[in-house]
Every structure is written in structure tokens, then in C-alpha cells.
């Protein structure tokens, strides 16, 4: 529980102050707003900041109200913790909040992991609709004029339809990618890789596109990545 408090507490401090304040500043600011318990010392504030201790109930409630902390997260318990921690989730509504928070946390971790990946990456559902992109993909989509600031190339857009309706330079490769996405989704384990040029505004660029699929329970998703490559790599035979 102390670890969850520490994470939520530091995030709340940054939202409130724009940074982690000094122990002295935190003690002063908290004591000005704390009317339910005795004032805290600078040492207590320091321990809260460093994750060495957490406040007792009255002070914790004051912090939750002042810093707008997520109480569901702080008080949530894992299966192994339920037997040893007396704080309980006392209603189905509160339990639903905890479960929703856990789902958001997992989604946030997935997004952070995707953003860490350098290739342009998008995840599609079985209909070809983009459900998640990383920051590299989003930045590229925003810079590409035909995608209208990224609105035609990010979440909610049917990537299959975009590739199938492509016209002009590069349309042949786009159509091939669309066909491959359908095959990969249908067969789950199949992968597709191809290299293509993508020149614009006088800049010559080459990419390698890879399409793969994964299955989790009854859901199948398709991952599309575009990796920048050199001209020599493009011309090299696979």
C-alpha cells in the first residue's frame, strides 16, 4: 500500500507544484490546509516524499482532498494483500472503480511501451481499424499532408480502407500491404515484410513494413510497423 501511496502522492505533488517540492515547503503548505490532525514536521514530509512512510488516516484523507489523489488506487488491494491489509473495498461500486483504474494503468503501460519503440507502430483490430499508435507513428501522420494533421491515420481510422483506396505513387505497395494484413489476421501466425520507397518534398526515404498478428483469448490484433531503412538496404536482396 505504501508503494501505491508513494506513486500517487508524487504524481499529485507534480500536478500541484509542477515539481517535487522541498520537505520544508510541503510541511508548510500541508499544515495550512490540515484541520483534522496535528501539524506535520519537515522530517515527516521528507519521509512521505521519499516513500519511507505514509500518513495516518486523517492526514491521508487531507492529502487526497488537497492533491486530488486517486483513493481507489491507493486503497486497492491485490489477492495476496487482501488477507493482511485491513482496508477493504466496501462496495461493488468501489471495486468497479479499482478494476477500471487497473485497466487504465495497464493501457498506460502498454502505450508507454509502444512509445519506447522507435519504428512507426500501429495496432489494428480484425476489421483493420487502428486502435492504438505510438508517438513515432502519430508524429509521422501529423506531418504527412494527405493525412490531414494525422486525423486520417490514427486511432479510429480503418487502415485497411486507407491502403485499399490509395491512388497514385505508392498505391501498388499500399494495396499489397492491405492484402497482406487480411491474410495475417486470418492466419494469426503468418507475417509479412516488404520494403518500399516513400519520397516527398524532395526528401528520399525508404521503409520496411512488417505486419504480424497476435491472439489473446478470443481477440486477434494486427501489429503494423514501418522501419526507416537506407537506400542500400532497400536495394539489397532479401
Amino acid at each position: 500500500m505504501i508503494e501505491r501511496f508513494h506513486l500517487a502522492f508524487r504524481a499529485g505533488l507534480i500536478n500541484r507544484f509542477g515539481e517535487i517540492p522541498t520537505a520544508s515547503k510541503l510541511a508548510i503548505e500541508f499544515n495550512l490546509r490540515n484541520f483534522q490532525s496535528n501539524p506535520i514536521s519537515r522530517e515527516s514530509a521528507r519521509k512521505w516524499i521519499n516513500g519511507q512512510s505514509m500518513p495516518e488516516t486523517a492526514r491521508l484523507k487531507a492529502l487526497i482532498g488537497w492533491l486530488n489523489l486517486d483513493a481507489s488506487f491507493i486503497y486497492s488491494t491485490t489477492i495476496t494483500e487482501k488477507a493482511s491489509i485491513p482496508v477493504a473495498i466496501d462496495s461493488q461500486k468501489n471495486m468497479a472503480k479499482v478494476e477500471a483504474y487497473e485497466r487504465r494503468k495497464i493501457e498506460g503501460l502498454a502505450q508507454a511501451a509502444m512509445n519506447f519503440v522507435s519504428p512507426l507502430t500501429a495496432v489494428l483490430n480484425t476489421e483493420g481499424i487502428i486502435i492504438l499508435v505510438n508517438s513515432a507513428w502519430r508524429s509521422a501522420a501529423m506531418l504527412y499532408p494527405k493525412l490531414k494533421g494525422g486525423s486520417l491515420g490514427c486511432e479510429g481510422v480503418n487502415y485497411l480502407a486507407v491502403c485499399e483506396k490509395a491512388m497514385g505513387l505508392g498505391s501498388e505497395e499500399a494495396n499489397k500491404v492491405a492484402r497482406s494484413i487480411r491474410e495475417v489476421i486470418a492466419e494469426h501466425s503468418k507475417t509479412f515484410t516488404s520494403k518500399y520507397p516513400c519520397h516527398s518534398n524532395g526528401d528520399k526515404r525508404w521503409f520496411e513494413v512488417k505486419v504480424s498478428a497476435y491472439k489473446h483469448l478470443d481477440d486477434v490484433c494486427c501489429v503494423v510497423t514501418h522501419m526507416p531503412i537506407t537506400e542500400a538496404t532497400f536495394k539489397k536482396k532479401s
Side-chain angles (χ1 to χ4, degrees):
M1 184 173 174
I2 187 172
E3 292 181 357
R4 292 191 297 276
F5 163 72
H6 188 226
L7 289 172
F9 178 58
R10 289 178 69 89
L13 290 177
I14 292 174
N15 288 336
R16 174 65 64 180
F17 296 100
E19 61 181 0
I20 302 297
T22 64
S24 295
K25 181 175 179 62
L26 173 60
I28 293 171
E29 294 290 337
F30 177 78
N31 289 334
L32 288 173
R33 297 165 175 80
N34 175 35
F35 306 105
Q36 304 299 320
S37 61
N38 294 329
I40 65 169
S41 66
R42 182 178 62 179
E43 181 63 13
S44 293
R46 184 189 66 79
K47 289 183 177 180
W48 292 356
I49 292 173
N50 293 333
Q52 295 174 301
S53 69
M54 65 179 295
E56 47 85 21
T57 302
R59 289 171 175 169
L60 180 55
K61 289 182 178 179
L63 285 172
I64 290 173
W66 174 38
L67 300 177
N68 193 28
L69 305 183
D70 191 333
S72 296
F73 174 62
I74 294 173
Y75 286 113
S76 66
T77 58
T78 64
I79 294 176
T80 56
E81 289 174 321
K82 287 180 179 178
S84 59
I85 296 180
V87 179
I89 306 302
D90 58 4
S91 71
Q92 289 296 324
K93 183 177 180 181
N94 287 340
M95 180 61 74
K97 288 181 179 180
V98 171
E99 292 174 349
Y101 183 86
E102 291 299 325
R103 287 194 296 271
R104 291 197 303 271
K105 186 168 65 173
I106 292 171
E107 290 169 0
L109 289 172
Q111 182 68 68
M114 280 189 62
N115 289 341
F116 185 73
V117 177
S118 56
L120 284 65
T121 304
V123 180
L124 320 179
N125 65 12
T126 53
E127 297 176 354
I129 295 174
I130 298 175
I131 58 178
L132 190 65
V133 302
N134 69 348
S135 56
W137 180 292
R138 194 181 309 280
S139 297
M142 292 176 67
L143 293 174
Y144 194 58
K146 291 184 179 181
L147 297 181
K148 296 184 179 180
S151 62
L152 298 182
C154 294
E155 289 88 349
V157 172
N158 192 311
Y159 187 69
L160 269 175
V162 171
C163 292
E164 290 173 339
K165 294 178 181 179
M167 300 177 64
L169 187 64
S171 59
E172 182 178 348
E173 183 64 36
N175 296 158
K176 183 167 66 174
V177 169
R179 291 193 299 271
S180 300
I181 289 175
R182 292 191 183 280
E183 293 175 2
V184 168
I185 290 176
E187 298 184 28
H188 301 174
S189 60
K190 185 176 180 178
T191 60
F192 165 80
T193 303
S194 180
K195 301 169 185 176
Y196 66 96
C198 184
H199 308 322
S200 63
N201 300 325
D203 294 329
K204 291 188 175 182
R205 298 178 298 174
W206 296 265
F207 288 85
E208 181 177 62
V209 58
K210 181 177 181 180
V211 180
S212 57
Y214 66 91
K215 185 176 181 180
H216 177 66
L217 299 179
D218 295 328
D219 294 326
V220 177
C221 290
C222 181
V223 179
V224 180
T225 62
H226 294 264
M227 170 72 82
I229 58 176
T230 63
E231 181 178 8
T233 302
F234 171 72
K235 293 181 177 179
K236 182 179 179 181
K237 293 183 179 181
S238 302

